[in-house]
Amino acid sequence: MTHFMFLILICFTSSAMISADDGWIAVSKDKNYDFDLAKTSVEIKTDSKLGSNEVVDMWLLKGQGNGFSDWAGSVMLNFASTMQYRLGLCNGVWSDFPSSSKIPSAPEKVWRITMTRTPDVRMQIYCNDDEVLDVTLSSNTCADNGWDTSWNSELTKITFTKSKDTASDYYRPYTEKPKKDEDKTKLSFANSLKVNAALL
């Protein structure tokens, strides 16, 4: 009996490892979340439909995150008839995503926003793991005065604005997904334990 319970415990633990909490955090508007986008990519879950004109408005903050005075840039997505984006404190106009972008029509989407400095600021946006935007900030792409100082600030927080953000439902820090072979190995191990336990 003890041996049987031990196997069940192992199966339960292994199963929990595979179906662990996915880490999504419900977005509270105008709340500051500790986050450095230059070090960790962020994922945002939305269920807005094209043509709804709902908007993702995520601000990048520096220092204590005291609103406009600590604003260091923003990433906006507009669910117009055609998906659009805007980078606050870079260029204040909406731009269509490149025509080559594969943005699905289904409402449920997971957006991943990645920022790198090598040393130029590079912004990449993914939708359901497909890259839909890759832009390097420069005087050619940014018309706003002081864009380089703002976007090269030491980032400390993100916030989703209550005044404009109508699309962001959940967010989480991005973690690289395990390779498919690793997933299969874990699943096979858990299944074999379940079979063994059932036979006892």
Side-chain angles (χ1 to χ4, degrees), residues 41-162:
S41 300
V42 66
E43 287 187 310
I44 302 170
K45 184 181 287 189
T46 63
D47 61 3
S48 302
K49 296 180 180 179
L50 287 177
S52 66
N53 290 314
E54 294 187 348
V55 170
V56 169
D57 186 21
M58 183 186 74
W59 281 27
L60 314 180
L61 301 173
K62 59 186 178 181
Q64 298 300 312
N66 294 322
F68 191 79
S69 62
D70 285 335
W71 184 30
S74 59
V75 178
M76 301 182 70
L77 306 173
N78 184 22
F79 291 81
S81 56
T82 300
M83 282 299 305
Q84 297 178 313
Y85 73 94
R86 186 164 73 185
L87 301 178
L89 291 181
C90 168
N91 199 326
V93 298
W94 289 108
S95 301
D96 291 341
F97 280 89
S99 57
S100 58
S101 300
K102 297 179 180 179
I103 299 178
S105 57
E108 292 77 16
K109 297 179 179 65
V110 174
W111 303 88
R112 182 165 89 247
I113 300 170
T114 298
M115 177 183 186
T116 54
R117 295 167 172 165
T118 57
D120 295 329
V121 178
R122 179 186 181 191
M123 298 299 297
Q124 293 169 280
I125 298 178
Y126 299 79
C127 182
N128 295 354
D129 287 328
D130 288 325
E131 185 180 85
V132 294
L133 183 70
D134 185 350
V135 60
T136 299
L137 275 59
S138 68
S139 56
N140 293 324
T141 56
C142 295
D144 292 352
N145 293 329
W147 69 267
D148 51 342
T149 301
S150 297
W151 280 88
N152 280 291
S153 301
E154 184 175 347
L155 303 177
T156 57
K157 304 176 189 299
I158 58 173
T159 191
F160 300 87
T161 67
K162 186 175 182 179

